[in-house]
PDB file of all heavy atoms in Angstrom:
ATOM      1  N   ARG A 328      27.316 126.909  -6.408  1.00 96.00           N
ATOM      2  CA  ARG A 328      27.742 125.685  -7.090  1.00 96.00           C
ATOM      3  C   ARG A 328      29.257 125.541  -7.149  1.00 96.00           C
ATOM      4  O   ARG A 328      29.971 126.537  -7.292  1.00 96.00           O
ATOM      5  CB  ARG A 328      27.187 125.751  -8.513  1.00 96.00           C
ATOM      6  CG  ARG A 328      27.705 124.700  -9.447  1.00 96.00           C
ATOM      7  CD  ARG A 328      27.061 124.823 -10.794  1.00 96.00           C
ATOM      8  NE  ARG A 328      27.671 125.871 -11.607  1.00 96.00           N
ATOM      9  CZ  ARG A 328      27.305 126.135 -12.861  1.00 96.00           C
ATOM     10  NH1 ARG A 328      26.316 125.476 -13.412  1.00 96.00           N
ATOM     11  NH2 ARG A 328      27.912 127.073 -13.532  1.00 96.00           N
ATOM     12  N   ILE A 329      29.714 124.313  -7.024  1.00 97.00           N
ATOM     13  CA  ILE A 329      31.140 124.035  -7.250  1.00 97.00           C
ATOM     14  C   ILE A 329      31.213 123.020  -8.388  1.00 97.00           C
ATOM     15  O   ILE A 329      30.582 121.956  -8.314  1.00 97.00           O
ATOM     16  CB  ILE A 329      31.812 123.443  -5.986  1.00 97.00           C
ATOM     17  CG1 ILE A 329      31.762 124.448  -4.827  1.00 97.00           C
ATOM     18  CG2 ILE A 329      33.255 123.050  -6.292  1.00 97.00           C
ATOM     19  CD1 ILE A 329      32.296 123.899  -3.507  1.00 97.00           C
ATOM     20  N   ILE A 330      31.962 123.371  -9.427  1.00 97.00           N
ATOM     21  CA  ILE A 330      32.117 122.420 -10.539  1.00 97.00           C
ATOM     22  C   ILE A 330      33.400 121.631 -10.307  1.00 97.00           C
ATOM     23  O   ILE A 330      34.493 122.192 -10.232  1.00 97.00           O
ATOM     24  CB  ILE A 330      32.181 123.152 -11.900  1.00 97.00           C
ATOM     25  CG1 ILE A 330      30.899 123.965 -12.105  1.00 97.00           C
ATOM     26  CG2 ILE A 330      32.406 122.171 -13.041  1.00 97.00           C
ATOM     27  CD1 ILE A 330      30.893 124.821 -13.352  1.00 97.00           C
ATOM     28  N   VAL A 331      33.204 120.338 -10.148  1.00 97.00           N
ATOM     29  CA  VAL A 331      34.338 119.455  -9.863  1.00 97.00           C
ATOM     30  C   VAL A 331      34.635 118.603 -11.089  1.00 97.00           C
ATOM     31  O   VAL A 331      33.738 117.938 -11.618  1.00 97.00           O
ATOM     32  CB  VAL A 331      34.003 118.524  -8.668  1.00 97.00           C
ATOM     33  CG1 VAL A 331      35.124 117.524  -8.428  1.00 97.00           C
ATOM     34  CG2 VAL A 331      33.727 119.329  -7.410  1.00 97.00           C
ATOM     35  N   ALA A 332      35.886 118.610 -11.527  1.00 96.00           N
ATOM     36  CA  ALA A 332      36.295 117.668 -12.569  1.00 96.00           C
ATOM     37  C   ALA A 332      36.947 116.498 -11.844  1.00 96.00           C
ATOM     38  O   ALA A 332      38.034 116.631 -11.280  1.00 96.00           O
ATOM     39  CB  ALA A 332      37.263 118.327 -13.527  1.00 96.00           C
ATOM     40  N   ASN A 333      36.228 115.375 -11.813  1.00 96.00           N
ATOM     41  CA  ASN A 333      36.763 114.182 -11.124  1.00 96.00           C
ATOM     42  C   ASN A 333      37.660 113.400 -12.085  1.00 96.00           C
ATOM     43  O   ASN A 333      37.754 113.723 -13.262  1.00 96.00           O
ATOM     44  CB  ASN A 333      35.584 113.329 -10.629  1.00 96.00           C
ATOM     45  CG  ASN A 333      36.041 112.158  -9.781  1.00 96.00           C
ATOM     46  OD1 ASN A 333      37.037 112.260  -9.064  1.00 96.00           O
ATOM     47  ND2 ASN A 333      35.329 111.038  -9.865  1.00 96.00           N
ATOM     48  N   LYS A 334      38.297 112.390 -11.542  1.00 95.00           N
ATOM     49  CA  LYS A 334      39.195 111.500 -12.297  1.00 95.00           C
ATOM     50  C   LYS A 334      40.401 112.277 -12.820  1.00 95.00           C
ATOM     51  O   LYS A 334      40.827 112.081 -13.964  1.00 95.00           O
ATOM     52  CB  LYS A 334      38.437 110.799 -13.455  1.00 95.00           C
ATOM     53  CG  LYS A 334      37.129 110.125 -13.009  1.00 95.00           C
ATOM     54  CD  LYS A 334      36.557 109.173 -14.030  1.00 95.00           C
ATOM     55  CE  LYS A 334      35.192 108.653 -13.589  1.00 95.00           C
ATOM     56  NZ  LYS A 334      34.558 107.720 -14.485  1.00 95.00           N
ATOM     57  N   CYS A 335      40.942 113.174 -12.000  1.00 92.00           N
ATOM     58  CA  CYS A 335      42.085 113.970 -12.467  1.00 92.00           C
ATOM     59  C   CYS A 335      43.326 113.100 -12.631  1.00 92.00           C
ATOM     60  O   CYS A 335      44.304 113.524 -13.218  1.00 92.00           O
ATOM     61  CB  CYS A 335      42.346 115.169 -11.550  1.00 92.00           C
ATOM     62  SG  CYS A 335      43.109 114.748  -9.991  1.00 92.00           S
ATOM     63  N   ASP A 336      43.249 111.843 -12.132  1.00 92.00           N
ATOM     64  CA  ASP A 336      44.375 110.923 -12.374  1.00 92.00           C
ATOM     65  C   ASP A 336      44.494 110.584 -13.854  1.00 92.00           C
ATOM     66  O   ASP A 336      45.544 110.160 -14.327  1.00 92.00           O
ATOM     67  CB  ASP A 336      44.189 109.640 -11.532  1.00 92.00           C
ATOM     68  CG  ASP A 336      42.807 109.032 -11.678  1.00 92.00           C
ATOM     69  OD1 ASP A 336      41.821 109.650 -11.192  1.00 92.00           O
ATOM     70  OD2 ASP A 336      42.684 107.965 -12.270  1.00 92.00           O
ATOM     71  N   LYS A 337      43.379 110.736 -14.603  1.00 89.00           N
ATOM     72  CA  LYS A 337      43.495 110.551 -16.059  1.00 89.00           C
ATOM     73  C   LYS A 337      42.816 111.714 -16.796  1.00 89.00           C
ATOM     74  O   LYS A 337      42.208 111.550 -17.842  1.00 89.00           O
ATOM     75  CB  LYS A 337      42.960 109.186 -16.508  1.00 89.00           C
ATOM     76  CG  LYS A 337      41.608 108.796 -15.973  1.00 89.00           C
ATOM     77  CD  LYS A 337      41.218 107.437 -16.548  1.00 89.00           C
ATOM     78  CE  LYS A 337      39.736 107.175 -16.299  1.00 89.00           C
ATOM     79  NZ  LYS A 337      39.225 105.990 -16.900  1.00 89.00           N
ATOM     80  N   ASP A 338      42.964 112.892 -16.173  1.00 73.00           N
ATOM     81  CA  ASP A 338      42.326 114.114 -16.694  1.00 73.00           C
ATOM     82  C   ASP A 338      43.126 114.658 -17.864  1.00 73.00           C
ATOM     83  O   ASP A 338      44.350 114.666 -17.828  1.00 73.00           O
ATOM     84  CB  ASP A 338      42.305 115.151 -15.550  1.00 73.00           C
ATOM     85  CG  ASP A 338      41.433 116.355 -15.879  1.00 73.00           C
ATOM     86  OD1 ASP A 338      41.001 116.477 -17.034  1.00 73.00           O
ATOM     87  OD2 ASP A 338      41.199 117.155 -14.959  1.00 73.00           O
ATOM     88  N   GLU A 339      42.426 115.077 -18.872  1.00 73.00           N
ATOM     89  CA  GLU A 339      43.124 115.697 -20.000  1.00 73.00           C
ATOM     90  C   GLU A 339      42.792 117.179 -20.077  1.00 73.00           C
ATOM     91  O   GLU A 339      43.072 117.831 -21.075  1.00 73.00           O
ATOM     92  CB  GLU A 339      42.782 114.959 -21.291  1.00 73.00           C
ATOM     93  CG  GLU A 339      43.389 113.569 -21.290  1.00 73.00           C
ATOM     94  CD  GLU A 339      42.861 112.701 -22.398  1.00 73.00           C
ATOM     95  OE1 GLU A 339      42.309 113.243 -23.369  1.00 73.00           O
ATOM     96  OE2 GLU A 339      42.985 111.470 -22.270  1.00 73.00           O
TER      97      GLU A 339
END
Side-chain angles (χ1 to χ4, degrees):
R328 170 178 80 177
I329 297 175
I330 301 175
V331 175
N333 186 33
K334 309 194 186 181
C335 75
D336 50 291
K337 48 179 194 174
D338 191 350
E339 291 168 19

